[in-house]
Amino acid sequence: MSEGIYIHGTEPSEQERLAGLNRITNAAFIQFLDVADGSHVLEVGSGLGLLAVDVANAAAGVHVVGVEISAAQIAAAPSHPRVTFVQGDAHSLDFPDARFDLVYARYLLEHVADPERVLREMRRCAKPGGRVAVCENDVSLLRFDPPCPAFDHAWDLFTRFQATLGGDGLIGRRLFRLFRSAGFADVALSVQPEVHWHGSPGYVAWVHNIIGNLGSARNGMLGAGVISEADLNAGVADLDRLKTDTRGSAVFVWNRAMATR
Ligand SMILES: C[S@@+](CC[C@H](N)C(=O)[O-])C[C@H]1O[C@@H](n2cnc3c(N)ncnc32)[C@H](O)[C@@H]1O
């Protein structure tokens, strides 16, 4: 199984970033999923398994299976009596048709070679009348104030680098089209906001998460020569400054889609 497209890797510092991102975003995403008691749920690209465990705890008797390509991520996942993790590729899910009440993926489609195929697989695994949900990135929607031009430059090159790996950090804007191509008739779009400002509870954690995105891709970007070390350091320094700037604020939205099979 190839993990080559995944821009972030699985270094301990990256796993810590992803755990921090889960702390920021899980509650709102679970509200979006609105999982029913007794549901059988599949998470595709389950990473560290933190979201899967929160989903299992969101209602009574919920069972969650997490499919994850990386053995290192599965090894770091917590144990829970109603959550199991299996190693597998989202492009060919090893489950029978119509097995789950709810199938979801979060922060996955931007990292796969063929997102439409992944959605078709997710649809296949959902029961008729079951739901398929995703939450994805469009990194162009990220805004900081006061302006951080060195960061903006590094962020643009980060997005381009991800594209050279075969990923798409802008995929959030394409969700409706992708769902329709994958065979869904009934698709609803929504967003999950990230609005943070100096002194608000999530501000430092959010800025830290964005710095961590650049950190996880640092070796790859420098190795590929897509950015100079000086420019990358200047981008990180912009956001480091913003963390303590009493005027600082950040706005972003995650793109979500929910469909019925
Ligand atoms: C950004 S993490 C998100 C993890 C989790 N969904 C969450 O929200 O915290 C994306 C995960 O997808 C996994 N992944 C990437 N490509 C995959 C594929 N083709 N099949 C299954 N998992 C994949 C990565 O290894 C990584 O753990």
Side-chain angles (χ1 to χ4, degrees), residues 77-253:
S79 66
H80 184 287
R82 285 179 280 106
V83 181
T84 53
F85 298 104
V86 293
Q87 192 173 14
D89 187 337
H91 294 92
S92 47
L93 296 170
D94 195 11
F95 299 101
D97 295 359
R99 165 89 172 69
F100 296 96
D101 302 296
L102 170 65
V103 181
Y104 72 87
R106 190 178 72 165
Y107 318 150
L108 171 75
L109 296 181
E110 64 167 311
H111 300 298
V112 301
D114 189 343
E116 184 184 316
R117 180 170 157 191
V118 170
L119 284 174
R120 283 188 183 280
E121 277 292 89
M122 292 172 70
R123 183 173 185 275
R124 181 184 65 73
C125 293
K127 293 177 182 171
R131 295 175 303 144
V132 173
V134 307
C135 179
E136 287 293 331
N137 231 329
D138 179 338
V139 296
S140 73
L141 301 174
L142 184 63
R143 293 286 183 274
F144 292 107
D145 187 74
C148 297
F151 167 76
D152 289 344
H153 176 61
W155 198 234
D156 181 47
L157 295 176
F158 171 88
T159 313
R160 290 168 195 243
F161 177 59
Q162 184 173 5
T164 68
L165 298 178
D168 180 3
L170 306 174
I171 199 166
R173 67 182 68 174
R174 291 200 286 133
L175 289 184
F176 187 74
R177 181 157 44 113
L178 280 167
F179 268 71
R180 295 305 294 259
S181 305
F184 292 99
D186 164 28
V187 187
L189 300 183
S190 60
V191 293
Q192 182 171 317
E194 300 293 343
V195 183
H196 305 285
W197 60 95
H198 186 273
S200 70
Y203 178 68
V204 171
W206 177 252
V207 179
H208 189 69
N209 166 64
I210 302 301
I211 293 173
N213 275 263
L214 289 181
S216 66
R218 180 181 182 88
N219 291 340
M221 289 172 77
L222 294 178
V226 301
I227 190 170
S228 70
E229 190 161 13
D231 281 358
L232 188 50
N233 290 344
V236 170
D238 254 3
L239 291 198
D240 269 334
R241 267 193 303 277
L242 201 73
K243 271 197 226 171
T244 54
D245 188 332
T246 55
R247 305 164 302 162
S249 64
V251 176
F252 176 68
V253 292

Side-chain angles (χ1 to χ4, degrees), residues 1-10 14 17-19 21-22 25-26 29 43-52 67-71 73-74 86-93 104-113 118 135:
M1 270 177 252
S2 168
E3 300 170 33
I5 285 183
Y6 189 50
I7 188 170
H8 300 302
T10 58
E14 159 54 22
R17 179 198 71 82
L18 185 56
L21 181 61
N22 272 258
T25 57
N26 281 13
F29 186 71
E43 177 174 357
V44 184
S46 51
L48 302 174
L50 301 170
L51 178 61
V67 176
E68 166 57 49
I69 203 165
S70 159
Q73 302 286 68
I74 292 173
V86 293
Q87 192 173 14
D89 187 337
H91 294 92
S92 47
L93 296 170
Y104 72 87
R106 190 178 72 165
Y107 318 150
L108 171 75
L109 296 181
E110 64 167 311
H111 300 298
V112 301
V118 170
C135 179

Side-chain angles (χ1 to χ4, degrees), residues 22 25-43 49-65 80 82-83 85 102-106 131:
N22 272 258
T25 57
N26 281 13
F29 186 71
I30 281 167
Q31 206 174 359
F32 165 64
L33 287 183
D34 193 22
V35 58
D37 289 353
S39 296
H40 287 266
V41 180
L42 175 65
E43 177 174 357
L50 301 170
L51 178 61
V53 165
D54 283 353
V55 169
N57 289 332
V62 174
H63 288 78
V64 185
V65 178
H80 184 287
R82 285 179 280 106
V83 181
F85 298 104
L102 170 65
V103 181
Y104 72 87
R106 190 178 72 165
R131 295 175 303 144

